[in-house]
Amino acid sequence: MRREGSAFQGVGAVFVKELSDNISSVRMLMLELLIVLTAMAALYEAITALRQNTAEDPFLLLRLFTVSQAPLPSFVAILGFLIPLMAIGLGFDLINSEHNRRTLSRILAQPIYRDALLLGKYLAGLATIAISLTALWLLVIGLGLIFLGVPPGGEEIARSLAFLVIAVFYAGVWLSLAMLLSIVFRSPATAALVALGIWLFLTVLWPMLAPAIAQAIVPPDPRFAALGLDTPGTAIWSQLLQRFSPNDLFGEAMLAVLSPTTRTLGPVFLDQIRGAVMGAPLPFGQSVLIAWPQTVGLIACTIVLFVAGYVLFQRQEVRA
Amino acid sequence: MSEQQNNSAATRPEAVIAARDLTKRYGKTSVVDAINFDIAKGEVFGLLGPNGAGKTTTILMMLGLTEISAGRVSVLGFDPARQPLQVKRRVGYLPDAVGFYDHLTAVENLAYAAKLMGLSMAERTRRIAAALTRVRLLDVADKRVATFSRGMRQRLGLAEIIVKRAEIAILDEPTSGLDPQATLEFLDLIRELKAEGVTVLLSSHMLDQVQRVCDRVALFRAGKIAMMGSVAELSVQVLGAGFVVEVEADGAGIARRLAAIPGVGNVETLADDRFRMTADRDVRADAARAVVAANGALRRLSVDEPSLEAIYAHYFQATPSGGVRDAA
């Protein structure tokens, strides 16, 4: 039996209200300051490094995103670390705060479905992050113009836009996770702690654990070790396991999109790259193809987590 | 939809809410157990009972906010489980301890709700100003709700129902936690709603307030409606008599003469000159006549209104949890 009316009725109203709440909140201001300041530091280092060795580089602008200077990681690496923090910061109390403020039953007594509330809140969170990332992106392009004095080419803009889109989906994964936890846990503090725990585990611990687990699954072969090479089986397992972390997927996609010379993200045999002109950049479309599986992985992860939250929320009791 | 309308029409033509064997189960325990009631258009109906008796669950089922395990309820001819939007467009709900967004002003809070109702900008502004005037919050309209007292929040919640122009107002424990002055003001607002023809469904455990505004009440007990009817009807059912008249008079054989009045159940002699009689009607005139006929000196004649409090206390003492009887 179909339900009457549209599930999207009221999404607009919820979206606008939540967006204005997000943007005017002190929490958002702090998160933005944190990200802008760290990213600026990384960018400053990158610009200094680039100015010292202005090589003949056709993709000077993209270097801004990827070059890292000794103490600081690159701009992209910093974003890969901080975007989850931003998404968790916006999402950990999306639903449970409505419970705790006792506004949920009042809002749901208006002629809307629960879908509208959930979707409106989610999209508002994602839009907030997208706006911040776009501002940051413009900042990078602007600083690049001022300090490097090289106008960006069309392909550079296209690649950096692809970076922006993938970054938003990456944020979507974490926002879905935070929202799911805000539905599962009635206390915002618990939801925040669990989300931060998962974030630290996946970004800090998992990259160390994955190779260890891979070595347990396929013990390294001493013959390869004698040649100073990784055992192919171990390396493949290690990469496979690491890809369970959205952080790793984002990093790989960024590598493919922002470094045009990237031809492959996994280990390859020598005969597979026979005839390749090493160091020559790939066309934009080919780079996108390399990043595509990772991007799809991020999108799929977003959708799965969102649907899990959606199902739980639909079945949840409204009463406090 | 037409089927539902026919169905509710068959039960009672003027009923705006009709519940038939309405049941809510969590696992094996029934929180609401096959209750039946009809609420007529324009009446103030009270749901009474201790906490956890199933009042709020019943309300949530009427709004389609929780699933119905068995039975059915029709609200204004719609099935809340299947046509929740139709129901929620016409029914206003003030939850128990209503919450608002503290960082927004009263107007902003109402505007958000009004947007969700789908009202246009001009309509919103007009209705919100009118509603805030009615609940006497116009002077704090642009103050943040964080500064509001409990009574003001409840009135703001009522303003939301007024903005909606609801045909049915469902108020869950609207006066709990209010000071006496705020309670009186709130009850006045409920009477105003009734005067406009809004059907009001009120859940409460504050009995004397319910008595003051409700036309009919339903007594909830462990998920069942134990009794239903007007306060006078219930008092006859539970206390055995509707009226308790106290007579203070001197004279010989007055107790005997009072007991002879038709309709008087029994006469208690409290003191030499004081008698308490219970009757099923107002027997004051007869009592006065009886005293005068006995050549007595009538000094005082008072009647205790049947109090819901007494009914409630008497009922819940008389029937311990095991023996639930369904008088509905």
PDB file of all heavy atoms in Angstrom, chain B residues 18-43:
ATOM      1  N   ALA B  18     -12.743   7.974  16.632  1.00  0.00           N
ATOM      2  CA  ALA B  18     -13.390   6.725  17.022  1.00  0.00           C
ATOM      3  C   ALA B  18     -12.327   5.647  17.089  1.00  0.00           C
ATOM      4  O   ALA B  18     -11.640   5.393  16.105  1.00  0.00           O
ATOM      5  CB  ALA B  18     -14.463   6.343  16.014  1.00  0.00           C
ATOM      6  N   ALA B  19     -12.167   5.039  18.245  1.00  0.00           N
ATOM      7  CA  ALA B  19     -11.196   3.954  18.406  1.00  0.00           C
ATOM      8  C   ALA B  19     -11.949   2.653  18.603  1.00  0.00           C
ATOM      9  O   ALA B  19     -12.925   2.607  19.345  1.00  0.00           O
ATOM     10  CB  ALA B  19     -10.299   4.225  19.610  1.00  0.00           C
ATOM     11  N   ARG B  20     -11.506   1.637  17.898  1.00  0.00           N
ATOM     12  CA  ARG B  20     -12.139   0.314  18.007  1.00  0.00           C
ATOM     13  C   ARG B  20     -11.067  -0.715  18.318  1.00  0.00           C
ATOM     14  O   ARG B  20     -10.198  -0.963  17.476  1.00  0.00           O
ATOM     15  CB  ARG B  20     -12.831  -0.051  16.683  1.00  0.00           C
ATOM     16  CG  ARG B  20     -14.021   0.806  16.339  1.00  0.00           C
ATOM     17  CD  ARG B  20     -15.212   0.475  17.238  1.00  0.00           C
ATOM     18  NE  ARG B  20     -16.247   1.486  17.093  1.00  0.00           N
ATOM     19  CZ  ARG B  20     -16.320   2.592  17.833  1.00  0.00           C
ATOM     20  NH1 ARG B  20     -15.433   2.822  18.769  1.00  0.00           N
ATOM     21  NH2 ARG B  20     -17.282   3.459  17.653  1.00  0.00           N
ATOM     22  N   ASP B  21     -11.123  -1.283  19.494  1.00  0.00           N
ATOM     23  CA  ASP B  21     -10.158  -2.313  19.901  1.00  0.00           C
ATOM     24  C   ASP B  21      -8.713  -1.883  19.664  1.00  0.00           C
ATOM     25  O   ASP B  21      -7.872  -2.687  19.265  1.00  0.00           O
ATOM     26  CB  ASP B  21     -10.422  -3.630  19.161  1.00  0.00           C
ATOM     27  CG  ASP B  21     -11.801  -4.184  19.495  1.00  0.00           C
ATOM     28  OD1 ASP B  21     -12.206  -4.034  20.660  1.00  0.00           O
ATOM     29  OD2 ASP B  21     -12.453  -4.729  18.591  1.00  0.00           O
ATOM     30  N   LEU B  22      -8.460  -0.634  19.879  1.00  0.00           N
ATOM     31  CA  LEU B  22      -7.129  -0.091  19.628  1.00  0.00           C
ATOM     32  C   LEU B  22      -6.130  -0.717  20.601  1.00  0.00           C
ATOM     33  O   LEU B  22      -6.336  -0.720  21.808  1.00  0.00           O
ATOM     34  CB  LEU B  22      -7.167   1.424  19.820  1.00  0.00           C
ATOM     35  CG  LEU B  22      -5.965   2.214  19.358  1.00  0.00           C
ATOM     36  CD1 LEU B  22      -5.740   2.023  17.872  1.00  0.00           C
ATOM     37  CD2 LEU B  22      -6.162   3.682  19.671  1.00  0.00           C
ATOM     38  N   THR B  23      -5.053  -1.272  20.022  1.00  0.00           N
ATOM     39  CA  THR B  23      -4.098  -2.022  20.842  1.00  0.00           C
ATOM     40  C   THR B  23      -2.683  -1.657  20.449  1.00  0.00           C
ATOM     41  O   THR B  23      -2.381  -1.480  19.277  1.00  0.00           O
ATOM     42  CB  THR B  23      -4.286  -3.540  20.633  1.00  0.00           C
ATOM     43  OG1 THR B  23      -5.626  -3.866  20.946  1.00  0.00           O
ATOM     44  CG2 THR B  23      -3.350  -4.339  21.524  1.00  0.00           C
ATOM     45  N   LYS B  24      -1.824  -1.520  21.447  1.00  0.00           N
ATOM     46  CA  LYS B  24      -0.397  -1.329  21.197  1.00  0.00           C
ATOM     47  C   LYS B  24       0.371  -2.301  22.072  1.00  0.00           C
ATOM     48  O   LYS B  24       0.207  -2.315  23.289  1.00  0.00           O
ATOM     49  CB  LYS B  24       0.005   0.103  21.535  1.00  0.00           C
ATOM     50  CG  LYS B  24       1.490   0.365  21.406  1.00  0.00           C
ATOM     51  CD  LYS B  24       1.913   0.375  19.963  1.00  0.00           C
ATOM     52  CE  LYS B  24       3.426   0.565  19.833  1.00  0.00           C
ATOM     53  NZ  LYS B  24       3.842   0.503  18.432  1.00  0.00           N
ATOM     54  N   ARG B  25       1.153  -3.134  21.419  1.00  0.00           N
ATOM     55  CA  ARG B  25       1.948  -4.111  22.148  1.00  0.00           C
ATOM     56  C   ARG B  25       3.419  -3.828  21.940  1.00  0.00           C
ATOM     57  O   ARG B  25       3.847  -3.496  20.845  1.00  0.00           O
ATOM     58  CB  ARG B  25       1.639  -5.524  21.653  1.00  0.00           C
ATOM     59  CG  ARG B  25       0.395  -6.137  22.256  1.00  0.00           C
ATOM     60  CD  ARG B  25       0.240  -7.572  21.825  1.00  0.00           C
ATOM     61  NE  ARG B  25      -0.064  -7.675  20.408  1.00  0.00           N
ATOM     62  CZ  ARG B  25      -1.311  -7.765  19.930  1.00  0.00           C
ATOM     63  NH1 ARG B  25      -2.331  -7.784  20.741  1.00  0.00           N
ATOM     64  NH2 ARG B  25      -1.524  -7.842  18.633  1.00  0.00           N
ATOM     65  N   TYR B  26       4.192  -3.953  23.022  1.00  0.00           N
ATOM     66  CA  TYR B  26       5.645  -3.987  22.908  1.00  0.00           C
ATOM     67  C   TYR B  26       6.043  -5.385  23.324  1.00  0.00           C
ATOM     68  O   TYR B  26       5.910  -5.733  24.499  1.00  0.00           O
ATOM     69  CB  TYR B  26       6.289  -2.947  23.826  1.00  0.00           C
ATOM     70  CG  TYR B  26       6.090  -1.527  23.357  1.00  0.00           C
ATOM     71  CD1 TYR B  26       5.269  -0.657  24.041  1.00  0.00           C
ATOM     72  CD2 TYR B  26       6.733  -1.068  22.213  1.00  0.00           C
ATOM     73  CE1 TYR B  26       5.082   0.631  23.608  1.00  0.00           C
ATOM     74  CE2 TYR B  26       6.550   0.224  21.770  1.00  0.00           C
ATOM     75  CZ  TYR B  26       5.726   1.065  22.473  1.00  0.00           C
ATOM     76  OH  TYR B  26       5.544   2.345  22.030  1.00  0.00           O
ATOM     77  N   GLY B  27       6.487  -6.177  22.376  1.00  0.00           N
ATOM     78  CA  GLY B  27       6.753  -7.572  22.694  1.00  0.00           C
ATOM     79  C   GLY B  27       5.450  -8.238  23.090  1.00  0.00           C
ATOM     80  O   GLY B  27       4.499  -8.252  22.329  1.00  0.00           O
ATOM     81  N   LYS B  28       5.402  -8.770  24.311  1.00  0.00           N
ATOM     82  CA  LYS B  28       4.199  -9.473  24.730  1.00  0.00           C
ATOM     83  C   LYS B  28       3.314  -8.618  25.629  1.00  0.00           C
ATOM     84  O   LYS B  28       2.180  -8.990  25.915  1.00  0.00           O
ATOM     85  CB  LYS B  28       4.590 -10.758  25.478  1.00  0.00           C
ATOM     86  CG  LYS B  28       5.199 -11.781  24.528  1.00  0.00           C
ATOM     87  CD  LYS B  28       4.777 -13.193  24.881  1.00  0.00           C
ATOM     88  CE  LYS B  28       4.940 -14.098  23.674  1.00  0.00           C
ATOM     89  NZ  LYS B  28       5.368 -15.424  23.981  1.00  0.00           N
ATOM     90  N   THR B  29       3.860  -7.498  26.093  1.00  0.00           N
ATOM     91  CA  THR B  29       3.050  -6.686  26.999  1.00  0.00           C
ATOM     92  C   THR B  29       2.223  -5.688  26.202  1.00  0.00           C
ATOM     93  O   THR B  29       2.724  -5.029  25.299  1.00  0.00           O
ATOM     94  CB  THR B  29       3.933  -5.910  27.988  1.00  0.00           C
ATOM     95  OG1 THR B  29       4.931  -5.232  27.223  1.00  0.00           O
ATOM     96  CG2 THR B  29       4.593  -6.817  28.987  1.00  0.00           C
ATOM     97  N   SER B  30       0.951  -5.609  26.555  1.00  0.00           N
ATOM     98  CA  SER B  30       0.080  -4.641  25.905  1.00  0.00           C
ATOM     99  C   SER B  30       0.091  -3.352  26.708  1.00  0.00           C
ATOM    100  O   SER B  30      -0.257  -3.334  27.878  1.00  0.00           O
ATOM    101  CB  SER B  30      -1.353  -5.175  25.858  1.00  0.00           C
ATOM    102  OG  SER B  30      -1.385  -6.293  25.023  1.00  0.00           O
ATOM    103  N   VAL B  31       0.556  -2.291  26.059  1.00  0.00           N
ATOM    104  CA  VAL B  31       0.574  -0.994  26.729  1.00  0.00           C
ATOM    105  C   VAL B  31      -0.815  -0.369  26.641  1.00  0.00           C
ATOM    106  O   VAL B  31      -1.304   0.264  27.571  1.00  0.00           O
ATOM    107  CB  VAL B  31       1.623  -0.078  26.074  1.00  0.00           C
ATOM    108  CG1 VAL B  31       1.670   1.250  26.784  1.00  0.00           C
ATOM    109  CG2 VAL B  31       2.970  -0.750  26.099  1.00  0.00           C
ATOM    110  N   VAL B  32      -1.440  -0.567  25.473  1.00  0.00           N
ATOM    111  CA  VAL B  32      -2.824  -0.148  25.293  1.00  0.00           C
ATOM    112  C   VAL B  32      -3.563  -1.406  24.846  1.00  0.00           C
ATOM    113  O   VAL B  32      -3.142  -2.061  23.906  1.00  0.00           O
ATOM    114  CB  VAL B  32      -2.942   0.963  24.234  1.00  0.00           C
ATOM    115  CG1 VAL B  32      -4.390   1.267  23.957  1.00  0.00           C
ATOM    116  CG2 VAL B  32      -2.227   2.212  24.695  1.00  0.00           C
ATOM    117  N   ASP B  33      -4.621  -1.746  25.554  1.00  0.00           N
ATOM    118  CA  ASP B  33      -5.212  -3.061  25.364  1.00  0.00           C
ATOM    119  C   ASP B  33      -6.666  -2.952  24.915  1.00  0.00           C
ATOM    120  O   ASP B  33      -7.572  -2.773  25.720  1.00  0.00           O
ATOM    121  CB  ASP B  33      -5.101  -3.829  26.695  1.00  0.00           C
ATOM    122  CG  ASP B  33      -5.390  -5.314  26.509  1.00  0.00           C
ATOM    123  OD1 ASP B  33      -5.660  -5.711  25.361  1.00  0.00           O
ATOM    124  OD2 ASP B  33      -5.346  -6.034  27.505  1.00  0.00           O
ATOM    125  N   ALA B  34      -6.862  -3.018  23.598  1.00  0.00           N
ATOM    126  CA  ALA B  34      -8.202  -3.091  23.022  1.00  0.00           C
ATOM    127  C   ALA B  34      -9.164  -2.057  23.616  1.00  0.00           C
ATOM    128  O   ALA B  34     -10.168  -2.390  24.218  1.00  0.00           O
ATOM    129  CB  ALA B  34      -8.781  -4.491  23.199  1.00  0.00           C
ATOM    130  N   ILE B  35      -8.820  -0.783  23.441  1.00  0.00           N
ATOM    131  CA  ILE B  35      -9.715   0.237  23.989  1.00  0.00           C
ATOM    132  C   ILE B  35     -10.675   0.737  22.914  1.00  0.00           C
ATOM    133  O   ILE B  35     -10.380   0.714  21.715  1.00  0.00           O
ATOM    134  CB  ILE B  35      -8.940   1.428  24.586  1.00  0.00           C
ATOM    135  CG1 ILE B  35      -8.058   2.109  23.539  1.00  0.00           C
ATOM    136  CG2 ILE B  35      -8.104   0.993  25.764  1.00  0.00           C
ATOM    137  CD1 ILE B  35      -7.474   3.395  24.030  1.00  0.00           C
ATOM    138  N   ASN B  36     -11.846   1.148  23.353  1.00  0.00           N
ATOM    139  CA  ASN B  36     -12.881   1.679  22.469  1.00  0.00           C
ATOM    140  C   ASN B  36     -13.341   3.014  23.025  1.00  0.00           C
ATOM    141  O   ASN B  36     -13.615   3.121  24.208  1.00  0.00           O
ATOM    142  CB  ASN B  36     -14.095   0.742  22.454  1.00  0.00           C
ATOM    143  CG  ASN B  36     -13.759  -0.543  21.752  1.00  0.00           C
ATOM    144  OD1 ASN B  36     -13.650  -0.593  20.538  1.00  0.00           O
ATOM    145  ND2 ASN B  36     -13.570  -1.598  22.538  1.00  0.00           N
ATOM    146  N   PHE B  37     -13.409   4.009  22.176  1.00  0.00           N
ATOM    147  CA  PHE B  37     -14.052   5.247  22.611  1.00  0.00           C
ATOM    148  C   PHE B  37     -14.439   6.075  21.398  1.00  0.00           C
ATOM    149  O   PHE B  37     -13.901   5.893  20.304  1.00  0.00           O
ATOM    150  CB  PHE B  37     -13.170   6.058  23.565  1.00  0.00           C
ATOM    151  CG  PHE B  37     -11.845   6.486  22.994  1.00  0.00           C
ATOM    152  CD1 PHE B  37     -11.732   7.644  22.253  1.00  0.00           C
ATOM    153  CD2 PHE B  37     -10.708   5.720  23.205  1.00  0.00           C
ATOM    154  CE1 PHE B  37     -10.510   8.040  21.740  1.00  0.00           C
ATOM    155  CE2 PHE B  37      -9.485   6.104  22.678  1.00  0.00           C
ATOM    156  CZ  PHE B  37      -9.388   7.265  21.947  1.00  0.00           C
ATOM    157  N   ASP B  38     -15.398   6.942  21.602  1.00  0.00           N
ATOM    158  CA  ASP B  38     -15.806   7.893  20.573  1.00  0.00           C
ATOM    159  C   ASP B  38     -15.735   9.276  21.179  1.00  0.00           C
ATOM    160  O   ASP B  38     -16.141   9.473  22.313  1.00  0.00           O
ATOM    161  CB  ASP B  38     -17.262   7.647  20.158  1.00  0.00           C
ATOM    162  CG  ASP B  38     -17.395   6.398  19.330  1.00  0.00           C
ATOM    163  OD1 ASP B  38     -16.793   6.365  18.246  1.00  0.00           O
ATOM    164  OD2 ASP B  38     -18.073   5.465  19.779  1.00  0.00           O
ATOM    165  N   ILE B  39     -15.190  10.203  20.410  1.00  0.00           N
ATOM    166  CA  ILE B  39     -15.160  11.570  20.901  1.00  0.00           C
ATOM    167  C   ILE B  39     -15.985  12.416  19.937  1.00  0.00           C
ATOM    168  O   ILE B  39     -15.764  12.382  18.725  1.00  0.00           O
ATOM    169  CB  ILE B  39     -13.717  12.089  21.004  1.00  0.00           C
ATOM    170  CG1 ILE B  39     -12.944  11.220  21.989  1.00  0.00           C
ATOM    171  CG2 ILE B  39     -13.712  13.538  21.460  1.00  0.00           C
ATOM    172  CD1 ILE B  39     -11.497  11.551  22.099  1.00  0.00           C
ATOM    173  N   ALA B  40     -16.953  13.130  20.495  1.00  0.00           N
ATOM    174  CA  ALA B  40     -17.857  13.897  19.649  1.00  0.00           C
ATOM    175  C   ALA B  40     -17.239  15.239  19.293  1.00  0.00           C
ATOM    176  O   ALA B  40     -16.349  15.725  19.988  1.00  0.00           O
ATOM    177  CB  ALA B  40     -19.177  14.110  20.373  1.00  0.00           C
ATOM    178  N   LYS B  41     -17.707  15.807  18.207  1.00  0.00           N
ATOM    179  CA  LYS B  41     -17.189  17.091  17.759  1.00  0.00           C
ATOM    180  C   LYS B  41     -17.499  18.159  18.809  1.00  0.00           C
ATOM    181  O   LYS B  41     -18.591  18.240  19.342  1.00  0.00           O
ATOM    182  CB  LYS B  41     -17.855  17.470  16.443  1.00  0.00           C
ATOM    183  CG  LYS B  41     -17.259  18.718  15.828  1.00  0.00           C
ATOM    184  CD  LYS B  41     -17.702  18.881  14.396  1.00  0.00           C
ATOM    185  CE  LYS B  41     -17.316  20.242  13.841  1.00  0.00           C
ATOM    186  NZ  LYS B  41     -15.972  20.674  14.190  1.00  0.00           N
ATOM    187  N   GLY B  42     -16.484  18.947  19.133  1.00  0.00           N
ATOM    188  CA  GLY B  42     -16.694  20.093  20.017  1.00  0.00           C
ATOM    189  C   GLY B  42     -16.642  19.787  21.498  1.00  0.00           C
ATOM    190  O   GLY B  42     -16.794  20.684  22.310  1.00  0.00           O
ATOM    191  N   GLU B  43     -16.408  18.546  21.871  1.00  0.00           N
ATOM    192  CA  GLU B  43     -16.357  18.281  23.309  1.00  0.00           C
ATOM    193  C   GLU B  43     -14.922  18.303  23.817  1.00  0.00           C
ATOM    194  O   GLU B  43     -13.971  18.204  23.057  1.00  0.00           O
ATOM    195  CB  GLU B  43     -17.055  16.958  23.652  1.00  0.00           C
ATOM    196  CG  GLU B  43     -16.272  15.705  23.393  1.00  0.00           C
ATOM    197  CD  GLU B  43     -17.004  14.462  23.916  1.00  0.00           C
ATOM    198  OE1 GLU B  43     -17.703  14.576  24.920  1.00  0.00           O
ATOM    199  OE2 GLU B  43     -16.860  13.398  23.296  1.00  0.00           O
TER     200      GLU B  43
END
